[in-house]
Amino acid sequence: MDRFAAAAASFSAAIIDYWHGQAKFVDVWNGEGGNRFGPATTIGGRWAVFSRPIAGDFNGDGIGDLAAVNKAGNELHVWNGRGSNNFTPAIKLGPGWEPYASTLMSLGDVNEDGHTDIGAVHAETGMLYLWNGKGATSSARPPPSAPAGHPTSEGLQDEDHTAIPSATGGP
């Protein structure tokens, strides 16, 4: 299966609504195949203290996980999926995620190493950053902040003209 078919199969497995009402519950619609989904299942509340969660297989076990930034501590947290709409307790991965919290996104496997990658746009510089997944829930730190126009970590560009974003260092 090519990477696009794999991504399409993964996407059709479930749809997640991150902002169910004012209480900020997470709802999941499990895929039934043929572009059909089952009824919404609420899997948890108390999301108001976190940024909008993202979904992906962050630990490489084939089961969808969730990640979000705790607004008070600006720390990235991951909830590893157990299947059947159940998740582990939150695992705190590291601080410094505030400038990325509102734009954090799951990118799929952009570097084709078999692990889910994440990206975000820095709130002050407007620079897009990429963090390549390692296939295990481990410590994750954002790049250090830098003045606009002077990134200190990687941005996404298609430098080798393969239609796949390449990581490029800043000045």
Side-chain angles (χ1 to χ4, degrees), residues 12-35:
S12 66
I15 295 177
I16 299 175
D17 173 20
Y18 303 112
W19 306 116
H20 169 73
Q22 296 300 315
K24 296 199 177 171
F25 287 86
V26 174
D27 286 345
V28 175
W29 288 263
N30 292 303
E32 297 177 338
N35 295 324

Side-chain angles (χ1 to χ4, degrees), residues 69 74 95-104 120-127 129 131 142-145:
V69 177
N74 298 314
W97 289 87
E98 179 195 3
Y100 310 97
S102 66
T103 61
L104 194 63
V121 175
H122 190 281
E124 294 174 12
T125 67
M127 182 75 174
Y129 289 89
W131 294 268
S145 295

Side-chain angles (χ1 to χ4, degrees), residues 50-146:
F50 291 97
S51 66
R52 178 187 49 84
I54 61 172
D57 182 13
F58 303 120
N59 64 357
D61 66 358
I63 301 171
D65 309 315
L66 296 174
V69 177
N70 181 301
K71 294 175 186 175
N74 298 314
E75 298 160 327
L76 182 64
H77 289 71
V78 170
W79 294 260
N80 291 316
R82 297 183 194 170
S84 300
N85 298 331
N86 291 304
F87 295 85
T88 65
I91 299 168
K92 188 184 329 178
L93 297 185
W97 289 87
E98 179 195 3
Y100 310 97
S102 66
T103 61
L104 194 63
M105 63 192 105
S106 180
L107 300 174
D109 183 15
V110 296
N111 67 346
E112 297 183 312
D113 68 353
H115 305 297
T116 302
D117 306 315
I118 63 174
V121 175
H122 190 281
E124 294 174 12
T125 67
M127 182 75 174
L128 175 64
Y129 289 89
L130 166 71
W131 294 268
N132 293 126
K134 298 178 181 176
T137 305
S138 61
S139 180
R141 292 192 172 268
S145 295

